[in-house]
Amino acid sequence: MTKYVNAVIGDETGDASLPILEGTLGPQAVDIQSLYGRHGILAYDPGYRSTASCKSAITFVDGDAGILAYRGYPIEQLAEKSRFLEVAYLLMFGELPSAAEGTAFRDSVCQHNLLHEQVISFYRGFRRDAHPMAVMVGVVGALSAFYHDDMDIRDPQQRINAAIRLVAKMPTIAAASYTYSTGRPQRYPRNEYDYAGNFMQMLFGMPNRDFVVDPVQVRAMDRILILHADHEQNASTSTVRMAASSGANPFACIAAGIASLWGPAHGGANEEVVKMLLEIGTPENIPKAIARAKDKSDPFRLMGFGHRVYKNFDPRARVIQESAREVLAHLGLENDPLMAVALELEEIALRDEYFIERKLYPNVDFYSGILLRAMGIPTKMFTAVFAVARTAGWVSQWLELHNDSTHGIDRPRQLYVGSGLRDYPETRG
Ligand code: SDX
């Protein structure tokens, strides 16, 4: 039986006041940092539903209004008007780059998008059927062994160098994890392509013929990268920040983020959405899937639906749905059965009381898999694409944490519910 008390707390002065912090946008926060020190009491918030873990100026999300903005710029505008490298610069440095800054940033990325030849040899140690995310966790973590002379996190310039290296190398690493699985040779980046085009030529290019760029698909890939670049303090970003708070090197921190993103409740959902849609197969099977999603005795969930923060449409889902339609039409796949099932599933679910009551809407993962699949990207690479994009956000959040010199190690406490103290028995039967 849970006891409830009005949490009236106070010290010898009777002062129980806790400061209220105001952000630029979004909910206020009660500053409880002094709670345990002054009053010996902890705040309990498993899953961090009501916890602001940090102050950040990078991304704003209003889940009720369905707003997502990077450094104040709405995601819809960035997806329409910007390109991924410009967005990466914006996330890392806080402002859109001037022409000269943009060119210098792109040149830096192009300078660092190759992998050390010994890093490429790591791929040989994996089974050909290894999941790309398993490969990426390993290879990105291993980069820690290659930049000893430029990894002093106390040096702001070395921090920026590491951030740029990670943004630059992630497409090469992800593409190599795919080509390795197919038995094809790893492709080198070619700097005549833009960031998204380079990623696609490394994914699909063949050594015995030139890669033909499809500008519609390259633009769609660039838009996917923009939409997935950052999302405030989600599970993988919080993982990166937690690792960063101990002083771990940037490559190890991003490897931890990749591991967290891989989970099916997080970045792994796009892969699960396509598997779910393929399993449903036709619109006739949708009612059964909806019933299963509502059945508490059934672990089945409607993948790509629901979100911890969005209790309205995920603005990214709409942009990706539009991109998916555009690419499907461009490829003559307007009648893609998966898209038909997805659209019908969304329409039925959004009319169903269960989903309405729980404010479950399509999230970023619901349509992204359809788009990626139409572009020829295998299902098991979907989360790897997400990781390429989110690296821009992860390194930006990593930089922001280290720019706050007051930030110490993140060390949450617990509500202990184990055994009381007891002595080791004199005799062991
Ligand atoms: C991403 O955090 C981020 O920002 C993440 C992300 C990013 O950009 O970094 O936006 C990317 O991870 C998007 C989410 C992708 N995951 C999925 O699509 C997996 C399916 N969705 C669910 O697993 C779930 O909705 C979560 C994990 C996304 C959110 O879970 P919450 O906030 O913990 O919600 P909950 O489990 O408390 O659910 C509340 C209710 C429950 O029912 P009741 O117990 O109240 O009766 O809603 C139900 C849940 O059973 N519910 C679902 C459901 N999601 C929640 N029921 C059926 N299908 C679903 N998908």
Side-chain angles (χ1 to χ4, degrees), residues 145-171:
F146 285 81
Y147 298 105
H148 296 297
D149 58 338
D150 198 14
M151 213 162 58
D152 180 353
I153 59 173
R154 295 162 303 176
D155 177 341
Q157 189 53 56
Q158 291 192 35
R159 294 202 295 264
I160 290 172
N161 296 346
I164 289 174
R165 279 196 170 103
L166 281 155
V167 170
K169 294 180 192 307
M170 208 53 85

Side-chain angles (χ1 to χ4, degrees), residues 49 61 227-228 230-237 261 263-270 272-273 292-294 296 300-311 314 316 354-355 357-358 360 363-366 386 390:
R49 292 171 186 268
V61 177
L227 293 167
H228 287 79
D230 195 55
H231 209 247
E232 62 142 82
Q233 305 310 315
N234 58 83
S236 55
T237 297
L261 184 73
H266 187 15
N270 50 21
E272 297 304 317
V273 166
R292 285 190 62 198
K294 294 157 59 174
K296 295 303 172 194
F300 177 83
R301 281 200 162 182
L302 220 45
M303 299 312 280
F305 259 76
H307 197 280
R308 174 59 59 78
V309 177
Y310 287 121
K311 301 308 172 189
D314 180 335
R316 301 168 295 179
Y354 174 94
F355 293 89
E357 185 187 318
R358 290 166 179 80
L360 302 176
N363 59 50
V364 67
D365 293 301
F366 190 61
F386 196 151
R390 189 52 58 91

